[in-house]
Amino acid sequence: MTKPNGAACADDTEYCTAVLEDFERGLDPANPTARSGVQVLGYGEVSAALALEALPGQVCKRMAGLRDRDATERYQSLVDHYIRALRASGVAVVDTRVVAVHAAGRRPVVYLLQPRLAAGGLGNTLLREADDATMLGCVDRVLVALFDLWDANRRRSDGLELAVDAQLSNWHFPSTEAGPGTPALFDVGTPYVRRGASYQIDLEIFLAAVPPLLRAYYRRARAVEEYLDHYFDPRSVALDLLGNFHKEGRPDRVAKAADRVNAWLAAHAAEFGHRRPVDAGDVARFYAHDAAQLELFLKVRRLDRFIRTRLLRTRYDFVLPGAIRR
Ligand SMILES: Nc1ncnc2c1ncn2[C@@H]1O[C@H](COP(=O)(O)OP(=O)(O)OP(=O)(O)O)[C@@H](O)[C@H]1O
Ligand SMILES: [Mg+2]
């Protein structure tokens, strides 16, 4: 491995792979920052976003839970396909490289590599700090992208249906003189692609972090499918977008943004079918329910980590968040 040399090496996938292999060998997922030169930018429900000193200007999102090389290749090509299909549907996506890392004696992991975007353009920053007009401009921009995607789904001939997690905190908004520009999605680690009721992503990836006894229960209850289904319903996606205002500490802005959502639901009533408007109460209830589900999912994963690291004293594969303020 040659020495890092700024932007030049960031474009070199072979170099990045070598850095990530080295990082992975030294990583204790139960304690990711124990090693120097790594910063956790954000914990997702499934992946962890890391910044490595050895890859300046890049964000590396680590996805574990892949059984073997085949599962890894399937996941990689699904993410690539998802990004291409989103772009073809009119949704801008941040450049993303999907890199598999195979370290001897370990389960494979995949890193999604993206340029590190300026914090000022991230949706969560704008949601927390921008003035009302800018924040509402962001909401409108995302709603336009959501309709484009919904409309493109209707015109697809391959029977697939695509969705996105539309929370503002998953988009980067370039700033223009006329306010926030066309947003680019960067949260693409969970490809929401289904054909009928059947998901393209191997749902076992989500269950891999759950204690084995509970996995059977989740499978029988179709818990993961049910959770993912709401991303395909325009009203639910909008409720989720607004619910995220609570997580980001700005529930005071829900009512104004809900007006924009309701104008959007009304404008597309012919396409979406008439959907009940949303109000702040609907958003609070939706958020409370979602947060409780995610908290439970996190608790069972922590239980699995406890069993594996403390009782069985085996290696643990996942980077889990600490306490999340929901
Ligand atoms: N390309 C990027 N540049 C700068 N910051 C980023 C970038 N990608 C992610 N982040 C930061 O990390 C956080 C989490 O990233 P992201 O939304 O992609 O994944 P996630 O929510 O962890 O995904 P999931 O829940 O699906 O695992 C973001 O909210 C943002 O603050
Ligand atoms: Mg996210």
Side-chain angles (χ1 to χ4, degrees):
M1 194 181 1
T2 47
K3 272 267 167 240
N5 132 35
C9 69
D11 293 336
D12 176 353
T13 300
E14 227 170 272
Y15 174 78
C16 292
T17 309
V19 168
L20 290 169
E21 274 168 5
D22 179 59
F23 174 71
E24 209 34 57
R25 269 193 293 273
L27 173 71
D28 173 7
N31 190 7
T33 50
R35 233 183 131 177
S36 63
V38 54
Q39 185 195 347
V40 179
L41 294 179
Y43 291 106
E45 300 303 339
V46 182
S47 66
L50 309 171
L52 305 187
E53 236 166 57
L55 295 177
Q58 297 283 296
V59 172
C60 312
K61 300 184 205 177
R62 182 179 185 275
M63 185 79 184
L66 299 152
R67 198 179 320 110
D68 52 25
R69 214 170 259 271
D70 274 2
T72 306
E73 282 169 13
R74 276 200 304 277
Y75 174 72
Q76 284 181 282
S77 57
L78 178 59
V79 174
D80 280 332
H81 178 247
Y82 179 56
I83 293 172
R84 276 197 308 275
L86 284 177
R87 287 179 175 154
S89 306
V91 178
V93 181
V94 171
D95 283 340
T96 306
R97 275 178 299 160
V98 190
V99 176
V101 174
H102 300 274
R106 303 270 172 84
R107 288 275 175 90
V109 292
V110 166
Y111 280 88
L112 304 190
L113 260 65
Q114 292 175 337
R116 187 166 174 177
L117 304 158
L122 300 181
N124 41 346
T125 309
L126 293 162
L127 169 55
R128 281 195 308 265
E129 296 170 12
D131 56 40
D132 276 358
T134 306
M135 180 278 289
L136 293 171
C138 293
V139 172
D140 286 339
R141 289 288 196 167
V142 168
L143 294 173
V144 167
L146 278 177
F147 180 75
D148 287 347
L149 180 59
W150 192 88
D151 194 40
N153 278 335
R154 285 198 302 178
R155 288 181 278 107
R156 296 185 73 87
S157 53
D158 55 10
L160 293 176
E161 197 182 349
L162 273 68
V164 294
D165 176 342
Q167 300 181 348
L168 292 186
S169 52
N170 292 331
W171 304 85
H172 179 261
F173 298 82
S175 118
T176 72
E177 285 193 357
T182 303
L185 183 72
F186 56 76
D187 190 347
V188 290
T190 300
Y192 299 93
V193 189
R194 68 180 185 186
R195 179 175 277 117
S198 154
Y199 281 90
Q200 301 287 105
I201 189 166
D202 179 1
L203 301 179
E204 294 299 315
I205 295 175
F206 301 108
L207 296 180
V210 169
L213 275 174
L214 280 171
R215 274 183 219 157
Y217 166 76
Y218 274 103
R219 276 189 211 114
R220 244 195 341 270
R222 291 179 60 82
V224 181
E225 289 92 327
E226 205 170 285
Y227 189 80
L228 297 178
D229 282 346
H230 86 256
Y231 290 98
F232 293 82
D233 173 63
R235 185 174 184 275
S236 297
V237 177
L239 280 172
D240 190 44
L241 189 167
L242 297 171
N244 186 240
F245 285 39
H246 285 261
K247 186 168 174 192
E248 296 296 340
R250 293 306 305 263
D252 57 302
R253 304 191 111 173
V254 165
K256 281 190 179 128
D259 288 345
R260 300 302 177 98
V261 163
N262 288 330
W264 176 74
L265 289 173
H268 298 301
E271 295 95 341
F272 293 160
H274 289 275
R275 296 289 208 277
R276 255 188 323 119
V278 300
D279 64 24
D282 297 325
V283 173
R285 278 187 297 278
F286 185 94
Y287 177 68
H289 179 70
D290 188 52
Q293 277 185 301
L294 292 175
E295 197 53 43
L296 178 64
F297 183 47
L298 182 55
K299 280 204 175 109
V300 298
R301 286 179 293 160
R302 289 213 186 103
L303 171 67
D304 184 57
R305 181 172 64 183
F306 176 81
I307 295 169
R308 287 177 198 276
T309 57
R310 301 289 175 79
L311 303 183
L312 304 176
R313 307 222 167 251
T314 54
R315 186 185 145 81
Y316 184 70
D317 268 344
F318 301 88
V319 176
L320 298 185
I324 302 183
R325 209 168 50 80
R326 298 189 198 271

